[in-house]
Structures are given as C-alpha cells and as structure tokens.
Amino acid sequence: MSAPTPNWWKKGTAYQVWPASYKDSNGDGIGDIQGLIGTLPYLKDLGIDIVWLSPMYKSPQKDFGYDISDYRDVDPQFGTLADLDELIKKCHDMGMKLLLDLVINHTSDEHKWFLESKKDKTNPKADWYVWRDPKIVDGKRQPPNNWRSIFGGSAWEYVPERDQYYLHLFVPEQPDLNWELDEVRQAIYKEAIVFWLDRGVDGFRVDTCNLYSKNTSYPDAPVTLPGEVYQPAFTHFVNGPRMHEWLREQRQQVLDNYGDVAMVGELPGTEAAEVLKYVAAEARELSCVFDFDVVSLGGRHGDGVKKHQVHAHDLPSFKEAFRKQQHLTRGTTAWTTCFLENHDQARSLDRFATSKPEFREKAAKMLATLLGCLTGTLFMYQGQEIGMTNIPDSWGIEEIKDPDSLNAYNDVKDRHDADPLWLKRAMSGIQRVGRDNARTPVQWDSSANAGFSTGKPWMRVNDNYPEINVADQQKDAKSVLSYWKQMNQIRKKYADLTVFGDFELWDYLDPDVFTFTKENKTNGFTNKKLLTFLSFSDEEQPMHYPPDCKGKEMELIVSNVDTPGQYLSPWEARVYLVTL
Ligand code: TEU
Ligand code: CA
C-alpha cells in the first residue's frame, strides 16, 4: 500500500480553475476571482476539498498568465489582492484548501528583474537570466546553440542592448531565470513563495519544476529531427544536475516554516525512476507530481512530435500507462496524483472516450468512475464535471488563442507554403490535442454566453452549451454532474481502497474493456476488493472476472446504468465491492 501518513493533500479531491474562462463577475468578458468566489458553494457541493487556481498574477498574458510580471500582485483583469485574500478566507471558512500556481522557471519579459537585466552586461541583475553570446557562422549572427523552444522556434532571443541572446524554453516573452545564482533563488523564494504563504495559501502546483537546472555548457542538442534548424534539447534542460539540491533547499529554508505545505509538481518529460527521486517522502522535495504518460499517448508534444502528428492510441496502451503510473509509488513512501484533464490538454471525452451525442453522457460517467477509483490525489478540471467537449470541428484558426497552437499552425503553414490540405491537417491536430479545447468558457447555463459572462466572452463559447451546462445538470439526478458528486462521495467512503489501495490491471490485452481491482492489505478492508469494469466500446462486450473474485459475494456500489446485465453495454461502468 502507498504511504500511510495522513497528509491533508492525499485524500482531498482537487479542482483546477483556469481563471480567464471560469466565471466572469463584472461583464468584461473575462473570468475573475469574484466569479470564482461566487461558485465556492457549488464546488463544495461537488465534493471538492482543494482548489488549484491557475496563474492570476500580474501578467501581460502572452502565455495566459504563465508569464508573470509581478509575483506579489493580482492581474487587474482578475481582480485585486483584496479579492485574493477574500478567496483564501472563504475557502478556509468552507473547509477547503487553496493551491496557487508557482511559475518560477521563468518570468515575463516585463518583470522588473528582466527589464533591468536586459539593459546592459554590468547592471546588478545582469546575470539573473541566462545570457549567452551569439555564435558567428559565416560572418552571420546565430543563436548560441540549436535548442528548440518547447513552443517551437529557437529557444534564444537576441537583445541589441547587450548584443547577446537570452534563453526562453517557452515563448520569447518568458525568459528563463538563472537559478545558479543564490540571490536569484532567494528573491524567488521571498516574492513568489513566502509572500503567499504569509497570506495563508496552503500550497502550490509547481509549473515545470524540473527545468530550473540546465546543462550550463549549453551544447548543441543531438539532431533528432533531420532537416530542422532547431532541435528538441530535453536532455540538456530536463532534470538537470542541481534540481534536487534546489528543491531541498526550498523545502528546508522556506516551506518547513509553514507546516505541511503541498507542492504538486509538474514534471514534463520525466521517466518513472526519475520521478521517484522527487516524491519519495524522505527526499522532502515535492508532495506528489502529475504523471504525463496517459495524456501523452500517441506522441509526446515537446519531444518533437507535432500536434498534427499525434496518432490514435489503443486501449491497451491507455491501460498500460495507468498501470505504470499506479504501480510507481506502490510499496514506497511516495505519493501520486490522478487526472485526465488540465488547461494544457484536450477534453478527456474526445481524447480518451467518445463525444458522440448518443454515448457522450454515459462515457463521461465511465471516465468519472475510472478516476474516482484510482490511487493518488484526484485532480478535476473545470467543466470536466459536466462533460465539456473539445472545440467543434467547424471552428477555424481564427478562433484559436493559444500561442502554442498558433505556432504549430504557422510552422506547418511556412513549411508547406500555405497548402490548403496541409493547413487542414494542422487544424485537425489543434482540434485533437490543442490547448484551447480546455480553455473555452465554462458552460454554466443555457442563457446567452452560457451564463459565463453578461459581456462578450474573450474566447468563443463552445456551441454545445444549450445541451451541456451546469444549470440543467443540477436539476437532473441522472446527469454527469450528479454522477460526479456521487463518485466523489464513494471515493471518500471507500478511501482505503480507492485513494490508498493497490491497483491491479486484469485485462491488459483486451482492446475494448478495462478491468481493474483495488485492494488494501493493511487495514480494515483486508477481505474486500473493489472490482471495476469499464467499457470503451460502441458495442456490447463480454466481461471476464479475475479468478479470485469469481463466485464471491459482490455488491454493486456504483454504475452508469440502472440495471447492469450479463454483458457490458456500450461505455458502461460498474464498480463492485467483492468480499473475498
Ligand atoms: O506547461 C509545461 C509543459 O511542458 C507544456 O509544454 C505542456 O507540455 C504543453 O503545454 C502541452 O501543449 C506549463 C503550463 O502548464 C503551461 O500552461 C505553460 O504554458 C508552460 O508551463 C509555461 O509556463
Ligand atoms: Ca471579469
């Protein structure tokens, strides 16, 4: 069984709010903190214990808040510091915790640290970012190396004032901080962490927290994409040599003064064995991390696979990704998370199940059943609780706001001289895995703009809001929303098995059905097992029972059908409590 210590962040169900598209309170078309405050009773009723708020800091919004120009202030479009204080207080009054996003690999290029750093090579902050001289090739100025930004193009940007380039692993407006300098780390701790812990936040979701330490000799990356100028350079900036030293420093010097602070890390491009080093309880670095094996199925964006190249995956690889993730922390002191959606991913219905109208609701409940039974801290994402879907196929590139998707589109456009069939392919990649799929406004009701805003929403509302919205689902005991509420209760009731149990995959090779058990040999449930059947098929499917469950007493504790039969109907889910 997984780590027994009852840290508060293990059992709680978390809900991610991406503020711009969550709920607008003042009619300017942009979601805001007061909008979120107004929905706290809704989240409480859904069974949420932890709110993770994506960046609401002062930002020019070049990467929607992940480019921060002042860690100690709230962006006016989202509200004020007083609103944030009110949010912290109201969450706590209602028995909920609040996590903020901690984005400290880079700042905005409008952060005062960067504005000073870029002036010349001798100012007091001259080394606060990663500056390197140009490489001169055939008398022409070139970036210092061939690294490709995670969002495409060179990872270096030229600044004439210094006649140098600075490193940006994401968009050019997100310069990477130079973590090698002690005074930089101290400034980050003070402004980005201590400032908020003093105000009462309970922890952080830590953005790209394995990229701070780079290979400081900045060598060229090996050519893995022949014919391309800029090459993926993950080996030189992911899990670099000083990562663990710095995360421990942060815990010991800063976090330990504030009790059991949750640090939920995002570790892009990291293999299982490496993950354990960050999350082992004795390492005291991160509380838990997001595992990307599932959401990266069909091609990991960033490793060089482009959106239009992500291919369809089969159910065995989906199950295997979960098995790997669920087994990683088993028998260790480490902890994990489970999730299928966030603000960087497509909607789970389209990506992993089906959004066909006849099966959509049932499939959304089936995925809720899967998540509700998995080990780790459960993270839901706004709109997932009502089964929101991807952007419609009919939308064109003019609706797309995400810089990552726009870069991907323009890359194909440039490469293929705007050939219409190639552009269609680029657009279908964005429709499949683009980040805007999860960033359309939350569909609160069937009134204009889905009740998200009384003004013109900053981003187009998904056309299906009359059929998929919170208000209708609140009135319907059989809705996806009602099912999620029920699932969150079941998850808590059987927490020893769901949250803390051991996962076993039963039918790895079955292409249509996902069968798994959860057991826990170290507590009162020793003679019980949860047995979960999930159908990923448009057709009826036979079931096979694990031998030790066959013929045993089985109590059906939840299902997305009223009367389960001999076979699994399309997209059916059932969970049995088996007495062994
Ligand atoms: O994302 C980190 C990351 O690795 C992304 O490249 C992710 O794989 C990609 O968005 C998928 O398209 C974090 C944030 O979650 C993301 O929103 C930010 O844009 C990024 O960091 C930079 O701060
Ligand atoms: Ca607003």
Side-chain angles (χ1 to χ4, degrees):
M1 102 128 206
S2 305
T5 347
N7 310 75
W8 62 265
W9 37 265
K10 287 184 178 168
K11 200 172 166 175
T13 296
Y15 183 97
Q16 181 191 354
V17 171
W18 195 76
S21 292
Y22 184 67
K23 180 88 179 91
D24 177 22
S25 71
N26 61 355
D28 67 355
I30 305 170
D32 46 52
I33 294 162
Q34 282 302 333
L36 166 57
I37 290 173
T39 69
L40 290 178
Y42 166 74
L43 296 181
K44 183 78 192 171
D45 186 47
L46 176 59
I48 301 304
D49 311 284
I50 304 167
V51 176
W52 153 24
L53 177 58
S54 272
M56 75 304 151
Y57 308 96
K58 199 142 196 258
S59 161
Q61 308 290 334
K62 297 289 189 231
D63 186 24
F64 296 98
Y66 285 89
D67 50 322
I68 297 170
S69 56
D70 188 350
Y71 289 108
R72 298 172 301 178
D73 207 354
V74 171
D75 197 275
Q77 76 176 15
F78 297 133
T80 63
L81 213 43
D83 293 328
L84 215 286
D85 287 338
E86 185 184 336
L87 175 67
I88 296 172
K89 182 164 186 315
K90 294 235 161 100
C91 283
H92 290 169
D93 287 350
M94 295 176 73
M96 293 191 278
K97 305 279 190 182
L98 180 68
L99 306 181
L100 296 185
D101 225 297
L102 183 61
V103 190
I104 50 181
N105 173 70
H106 43 265
T107 67
S108 158
D109 63 343
E110 291 182 26
H111 194 288
K112 63 179 191 315
W113 297 342
F114 187 75
L115 294 176
E116 187 174 349
S117 187
K118 76 171 199 185
K119 274 190 198 149
D120 51 49
K121 293 180 188 172
T122 53
N123 70 75
K125 295 198 170 50
D127 295 329
W128 279 42
Y129 293 81
V130 182
W131 294 98
R132 286 293 181 277
D133 291 332
K135 198 157 83 181
I136 305 296
V137 183
D138 299 332
K140 270 178 60 191
R141 194 187 67 226
Q142 299 290 332
N145 66 26
N146 68 354
W147 292 11
R148 191 171 103 153
S149 148
I150 293 172
F151 290 162
S154 171
W156 299 91
E157 186 75 8
Y158 182 70
V159 172
E161 292 94 312
R162 292 183 57 137
D163 187 28
Q164 279 188 315
Y165 287 82
Y166 67 86
L167 179 73
H168 60 89
L169 295 182
F170 297 92
V171 295
E173 295 88 352
Q174 285 168 309
D176 280 54
L177 283 156
N178 179 15
W179 272 70
E180 300 286 335
L181 278 195
D182 197 49
E183 63 173 331
V184 170
R185 298 199 302 281
Q186 293 305 325
I188 293 170
Y189 299 159
K190 188 165 160 246
E191 300 208 0
I193 302 179
V194 169
F195 180 84
W196 291 103
L197 290 176
D198 281 343
R199 296 189 101 84
V201 308
D202 304 286
F204 299 93
R205 173 271 189 181
V206 198
D207 192 62
T208 62
C209 64
N210 56 346
L211 306 186
Y212 311 158
S213 172
K214 280 89 174 169
N215 178 343
T216 52
S217 57
Y218 293 95
D220 273 337
V223 175
T224 51
L225 301 177
E228 306 236 351
V229 184
Y230 305 115
Q231 299 289 330
F234 269 44
T235 47
H236 295 305
F237 60 71
V238 176
N239 306 317
R242 299 187 68 187
M243 272 317 313
H244 298 286
E245 174 197 333
W246 292 337
L247 289 175
R248 283 177 203 190
E249 171 185 279
Q250 194 179 81
R251 178 69 71 177
Q252 287 161 16
Q253 290 185 11
V254 185
L255 306 175
D256 276 351
N257 303 324
Y258 295 86
D260 192 10
V261 176
M263 297 294 272
V264 185
E266 188 208 25
L267 299 183
T270 302
E271 271 309 304
E274 196 64 31
V275 168
L276 277 182
K277 295 187 196 159
Y278 288 92
V279 289
E282 56 286 359
R284 305 186 62 255
E285 295 180 18
L286 301 170
S287 313
C288 48
V289 299
F290 295 116
D291 181 292
F292 286 97
D293 283 351
V294 175
V295 294
S296 302
L297 285 167
R300 194 191 282 274
H301 172 59
D303 283 355
V305 176
K306 298 183 177 159
K307 292 190 193 309
H308 66 276
Q309 295 163 335
V310 174
H311 51 84
H313 61 268
D314 55 16
L315 189 64
S317 37
F318 180 78
K319 292 189 277 191
E320 174 56 16
F322 270 116
R323 190 201 57 77
K324 198 173 141 204
Q325 181 266 335
Q326 290 281 291
H327 281 191
L328 178 66
T329 49
R330 211 162 86 166
T332 73
T333 57
W335 191 243
T336 188
T337 62
C338 42
F339 74 101
L340 280 176
E341 292 190 16
N342 64 36
H343 66 295
D344 291 334
Q345 306 298 333
R347 289 290 182 178
S348 56
L349 261 183
D350 302 78
R351 180 98 165 88
F352 303 112
T354 179
S355 57
K356 283 186 196 162
E358 67 270 41
F359 298 128
R360 191 184 63 217
E361 286 187 17
K362 210 170 157 193
K365 294 174 190 172
M366 185 278 292
L367 290 178
T369 315
L370 165 63
L371 284 169
C373 290
L374 290 175
T375 299
T377 304
L378 170 57
F379 277 82
M380 301 176 62
Y381 176 71
Q382 64 188 35
Q384 187 175 5
E385 74 275 21
I386 55 168
M388 279 179 64
T389 65
N390 277 358
I391 58 171
D393 289 347
S394 57
W395 288 16
I397 190 71
E398 66 283 354
E399 305 292 351
I400 300 304
K401 312 275 187 199
D402 166 31
D404 181 32
S405 295
L406 290 170
N407 286 352
Y409 185 87
N410 290 326
D411 181 58
V412 173
K413 189 172 174 185
D414 294 347
R415 218 175 276 274
H416 302 285
D417 305 321
D419 178 273
L421 200 53
W422 271 110
L423 292 182
K424 199 172 149 201
R425 169 87 82 85
M427 195 59 213
S428 73
I430 292 169
Q431 269 142 349
R432 195 167 332 118
V433 289
R435 306 199 294 181
D436 281 346
N437 285 306
R439 297 178 178 190
T440 58
V442 170
Q443 296 160 204
W444 292 101
D445 59 40
S446 57
S447 71
N449 305 325
F452 160 71
S453 173
T454 52
K456 185 177 172 355
W458 76 278
M459 186 182 190
R460 183 167 167 185
V461 176
N462 195 313
D463 307 325
N464 60 19
Y465 74 89
E467 296 90 58
I468 304 175
N469 63 71
V470 171
D472 286 352
Q473 295 199 17
Q474 275 177 321
K475 286 180 241 147
D476 176 3
K478 296 232 171 284
S479 66
V480 176
L481 178 63
S482 300
Y483 192 86
W484 259 111
K485 265 190 227 178
Q486 186 190 0
M487 208 53 229
N488 280 337
Q489 285 163 8
I490 288 173
R491 180 170 175 80
K492 290 203 173 89
K493 181 171 173 196
Y494 297 98
D496 287 316
L497 297 171
T498 54
V499 183
F500 296 101
D502 285 339
F503 171 97
E504 217 44 84
L505 177 61
W506 171 242
D507 57 353
Y508 169 54
L509 290 172
D510 192 307
D512 300 297
V513 180
F514 186 170
T515 311
F516 64 91
T517 56
K518 296 295 296 286
E519 65 183 320
N520 193 331
K521 297 229 167 73
T522 60
N523 63 15
F525 280 102
T526 42
N527 67 335
K528 304 274 187 197
K529 249 186 195 191
L530 280 188
L531 171 60
T532 302
F533 293 102
L534 308 169
S535 165
F536 284 74
S537 168
D538 285 357
E539 280 155 37
E540 193 173 54
Q541 298 295 341
M543 299 150 72
H544 37 158
Y545 290 84
D548 64 341
C549 296
K550 241 184 173 156
K552 295 283 157 56
E553 182 194 322
M554 306 217 307
E555 180 197 346
L556 182 72
I557 57 171
V558 66
S559 173
N560 60 358
V561 299
D562 289 335
T563 37
Q566 186 186 353
Y567 302 122
L568 284 180
S569 60
W571 304 97
E572 183 172 330
R574 330 178 175 172
V575 183
Y576 291 104
L577 184 66
V578 183
T579 305
L580 297 170

